[in-house]
Amino acid sequence: MADYDVAIIGAGVVGCAVAREFSRYHLRAILLEANSDLCDEASKGNTATLATGNDTPAGSLERQLVVRGHQRYLAEAPSLGLPIRLVGAMTVAFDEAEARVVSEEVRASRAEGFSSVELLGADGIYARVPHLAPGAVAAAWAPEEGIIDGFSTAYAYALDAVVNGVDYRDSSPVTAAARRDGVWSLTTPGEEVRARLVINCAGLRADHVEALAGYRDLTVKPRRGQYIVYDKRARRLVDVILRPAPTPTTRGVYIAPSIFGNVLLGPTAEEVPDPDDRRVTPEGIAQLTAAARRMLPGLLDEPVAAMYAGMRPATERPEYRIIPRFADGWLTCAGIRSTGLSGALGIAEYVAGAVVPDIVKAARKQTIKPARVPSLADPNVARPWTDAARVAADPSYGEMVCHCERVSVGEIRDALSGPIPAHSLKALKRRTRVMMGRCQGFFCGARVESMLRTGKP
Ligand SMILES: Cc1cc2nc3c(=O)[nH]c(=O)nc-3n(C[C@H](O)[C@H](O)[C@H](O)COP(=O)(O)OP(=O)(O)OC[C@H]3O[C@@H](n4cnc5c(N)ncnc54)[C@H](O)[C@@H]3O)c2cc1C
């Protein structure tokens, strides 16, 4: 029997950020994850844009928390080793009706305090994106939107939480929850975890976790988003986030540079009954290519590196579902659909602020231990193999395994150890980008698998 003040169920980006927030207090917290690695559900398949929140519903909790999340990300990500590029987002209108939509977006954004958002005419548009399809008449330009590293963000939050005292368990699905004498008992395959407060951050399965505790007032409606990832060669075509003018039902398909130098085309928005149905379909590809043809036709001539689908943890209501049930020692943090990567630090602050010190009595720590993830995409941070002194001290950092993404033996060895080690090929890929380049592991895959199995180069 373990005893905790707080148990957080789910290590997606939201649960990891919440765990990090609680690590700032003198209390005992645990983060429980069902899968063998963190960030393996909704948080693994997104566009990885850092949103300012200007296109979220005015007055909503989502807007409040995304604005705060964006602010905190800019302030805190660098010390965690996380890269950010504020490339800006352009919402483009190709006819008069769309022009009315984007100019209204600019007016409303500015009225709500997003003062850097501006309306561009054709000259301003083509100066920023010369390869854009002809015929653009107006655009909303949001220069503070950025691109980030989605996995490393969640990993950094979790690592920081663990370094600062939170216990983390992977492969620990919570399968039952019972409350006795003011304490929850959570059943996992390895142990029974006792906690005074439970925070449900279970994303796509938040309704199942709610049901374990007897709550039935939310239903997850998974919404799939398919993507095509273009080779780094395509990057010369676009260095801003391109968005079509939104319609009343969808924000449409984006074209977004990735922090790693690729170009993403997506996502679609399809309600599917099965949260694990991450198929890429012919219909999805047709929708994506039609969107590219309309906005950036040259993209279709570029080589494709990969395709994937992500799944939004939407619910029956288009809003964040943060529901305090303090009399029961339970807090629901669900329905974080489309902006959770950007909003996570805002959400975490809001959740912790709601319970400390009134529900969970704890003082803030005076000293926080630093945590940093390897920087995989920041041009200002040297990778180990470029650091002559480091290679001299440990030649494994100079021995390349993956030549596409330039990942060394030393980096793979490091990812296989540490406080939150990789136990699988996909976990290793996300921590190092090994096998994520142009050849997709054709040349290095066998060696990487052998390193994973044996721990030896
Ligand atoms: C296609 C797409 C594009 C997006 N683009 C962006 C973007 O550009 N910018 C942005 O800010 N956001 C974006 N998002 C939104 C963002 O990805 C989500 O808001 C965020 O990932 C939600 O995180 P979460 O932690 O709530 O859920 P999840 O990532 O699903 O995490 C929940 C975790 O709970 C675990 N779990 C479930 N049940 C249990 C159990 N019983 N016991 C223990 N653990 C359990 C799961 O295994 C999982 O790891 C996008 C999302 C999608 C799908």
Side-chain angles (χ1 to χ4, degrees):
M1 285 281 192
D3 278 290
Y4 292 93
D5 297 300
V6 182
I8 300 139
I9 303 179
V13 70
V14 172
C16 293
V18 168
R20 175 177 183 255
E21 202 68 31
F22 280 110
S23 76
R24 274 37 183 170
Y25 294 91
H26 289 285
L27 49 75
R28 293 205 63 204
I30 185 165
L31 175 60
L32 297 166
E33 169 52 45
N35 291 316
S36 65
D37 197 19
L38 52 90
C39 206
D40 205 17
E41 302 257 322
S43 302
K44 78 173 168 186
N46 54 41
T47 321
T49 57
L50 181 69
T52 57
N54 76 299
D55 59 355
T56 53
S60 64
L61 182 62
E62 179 177 11
R63 172 168 289 186
Q64 178 192 327
L65 301 186
V66 173
V67 167
R68 181 65 183 140
H70 183 273
Q71 219 172 48
R72 285 192 68 189
Y73 200 91
L74 295 186
E76 296 170 38
S79 66
L80 291 165
L82 297 169
I84 318 166
R85 279 201 59 217
L86 295 185
V87 292
M90 189 187 280
T91 308
V92 192
F94 284 97
D95 60 34
E96 286 312 315
E98 289 182 353
R100 281 193 291 280
V101 173
V102 300
S103 46
E104 173 51 23
E105 183 170 313
V106 172
R107 190 206 59 73
S109 296
R110 293 181 68 88
E112 288 277 330
F114 297 93
S115 54
S116 63
V117 176
E118 59 175 311
L119 188 65
L120 300 179
D123 289 351
I125 295 171
Y126 288 99
R128 286 174 176 81
V129 192
H131 296 279
L132 191 75
V137 290
W141 173 239
E144 290 171 275
E145 300 260 326
I147 50 176
I148 60 178
D149 174 351
F151 174 78
S152 293
T153 295
Y155 181 36
Y157 296 162
L159 200 63
D160 190 340
V162 170
V163 164
N164 285 291
V166 173
D167 286 342
Y168 170 66
R169 306 271 193 280
D170 55 30
S171 305
S172 296
V174 174
T175 53
R179 192 162 188 257
R180 253 170 259 113
D181 303 326
V183 176
W184 283 101
S185 185
L186 304 175
T187 306
T188 74
E191 65 187 322
E192 203 72 14
V193 172
R194 284 161 44 94
R196 272 173 277 286
L197 175 72
V198 174
I199 303 185
N200 174 5
C201 296
L204 288 163
R205 295 165 223 278
D207 49 357
H208 292 286
V209 171
E210 290 289 277
L212 296 179
Y215 307 120
R216 299 187 192 281
D217 46 4
L218 81 90
T219 309
V220 173
K221 304 265 184 195
R223 197 176 306 147
R224 184 169 62 195
Q226 302 184 40
Y227 290 89
I228 300 175
V229 184
Y230 285 88
D231 188 76
K232 292 180 182 177
R233 234 185 62 154
R235 188 54 176 274
R236 70 190 192 290
L237 298 177
V238 61
D239 196 35
V240 307
I241 302 158
L242 280 179
R243 310 195 282 222
T247 69
T249 50
T250 173
R251 291 220 55 98
V253 171
Y254 294 12
I255 295 172
S258 89
I259 194 95
F260 301 109
N262 297 88
V263 176
L264 304 179
L265 172 62
T268 56
E270 313 149 64
E271 271 204 15
V272 291
D274 176 2
D276 296 319
D277 182 1
R278 292 195 178 83
R279 276 176 302 161
V280 174
T281 62
E283 299 74 24
I285 294 170
Q287 194 190 331
L288 297 179
T289 50
R293 197 166 292 116
R294 188 161 188 264
M295 279 201 294
L296 194 72
L299 189 59
L300 299 174
D301 298 328
E302 298 297 327
V304 169
M307 297 186 197
Y308 67 91
M311 200 65 82
R312 303 170 186 86
T315 69
E316 70 278 41
R317 287 203 222 142
E319 57 197 36
Y320 282 8
R321 308 289 297 277
I322 302 183
I323 310 168
R325 307 174 195 274
F326 293 150
D328 296 353
W330 189 275
L331 193 148
T332 308
C333 185
I336 317 291
R337 315 157 286 157
S338 306
T339 47
L341 179 60
S342 309
L345 292 178
I347 296 167
E349 187 177 74
Y350 179 81
V351 164
V355 297
V356 181
D358 297 335
I359 310 298
V360 176
K361 305 212 180 313
R364 223 179 150 85
K365 290 179 183 167
Q366 295 301 314
T367 314
I368 299 300
K369 294 182 190 147
R372 232 185 136 76
V373 288
S375 186
L376 303 175
D378 189 340
N380 300 314
V381 178
R383 291 285 296 279
W385 57 268
T386 65
D387 182 342
R390 197 159 173 196
V391 173
D394 182 346
S396 68
Y397 290 116
E399 188 184 338
M400 279 307 145
V401 178
C402 168
H403 289 264
C404 298
E405 292 290 314
R406 298 195 183 93
V407 185
S408 63
V409 166
E411 289 165 279
I412 294 177
R413 183 203 53 214
D414 293 348
L416 292 172
S417 58
I420 308 181
H423 304 303
S424 65
L425 212 49
K426 65 184 172 186
L428 203 50
K429 285 182 182 183
R430 293 180 188 139
R431 281 164 180 69
T432 63
R433 287 198 58 78
V434 72
M435 300 171 65
M436 301 281 274
R438 195 170 209 183
C439 89
Q440 293 283 296
F442 183 83
F443 289 106
C444 65
R447 185 170 180 198
V448 177
E449 276 198 54
S450 149
M451 283 187 75
L452 176 68
R453 225 180 27 256
T454 64
K456 298 197 180 92

